[in-house]
Amino acid sequence: MSHRFACEVYYEDTDLSGFVYHANYLKFIERARSAWVAGLGVDQNAMREAGLVFAVRRIEADFLAPARLGDALEVQTEVASQTAARMVLAQRVMKDGVALFGAQVTLVAMGTGGRPVRLPEALRGALDAG
């Protein structure tokens, strides 16, 4: 199951060189993950109210080529692996079919006490169906 999220590079995303500032790629992939989860029918506000949140446990990132002001980008998100309490996502920021940035993102579900818990049933069901 692959999710695609379109975004554009704005002036605020760039540094003095006119390239996307490196930390902003993390914002792009975060927005794509939020859209992906919502598209699966998982309400993160309801999760939080129930005492459950997602947390990034680990990110491994590769900066492959620069994006520039005005570029139309696409973030591709795929589940690389999952267990009962975590999932690893492969995310790529693409421009015209060329990968500019890639990341392996490990997410865990956490309860109010900050301890890992099982991924939400709605999410596990959506992932198993996909």
Side-chain angles (χ1 to χ4, degrees), residues 31 33 35 44 49 57 64 120 129:
R31 292 173 193 155
R33 284 194 309 274
Q44 291 191 73
E49 290 170 6
R57 168 74 171 86
L64 305 170

Side-chain angles (χ1 to χ4, degrees), residues 28-113:
F28 298 157
I29 65 174
E30 175 67 35
R31 292 173 193 155
R33 284 194 309 274
S34 293
W36 171 69
V37 169
L40 291 173
V42 176
D43 182 343
Q44 291 191 73
N45 286 317
M47 278 179 47
R48 188 179 62 248
E49 290 170 6
L52 180 68
V53 296
F54 290 120
V56 172
R57 168 74 171 86
R58 181 171 194 269
I59 294 179
E60 182 179 336
D62 289 308
F63 299 88
L64 305 170
R68 294 175 174 84
L69 177 64
D71 284 351
L73 305 176
E74 179 182 78
V75 181
Q76 300 173 352
T77 302
E78 297 177 2
V79 177
S81 65
Q82 75 180 76
T83 66
R86 75 170 171 85
M87 65 181 142
V88 177
L89 301 178
Q91 293 191 276
R92 289 175 302 282
V93 176
M94 310 288 290
K95 179 185 173 226
D96 298 328
V98 175
L100 306 180
F101 175 83
Q104 290 281 106
V105 182
T106 302
L107 298 172
V108 296
M110 290 185 5
T112 54

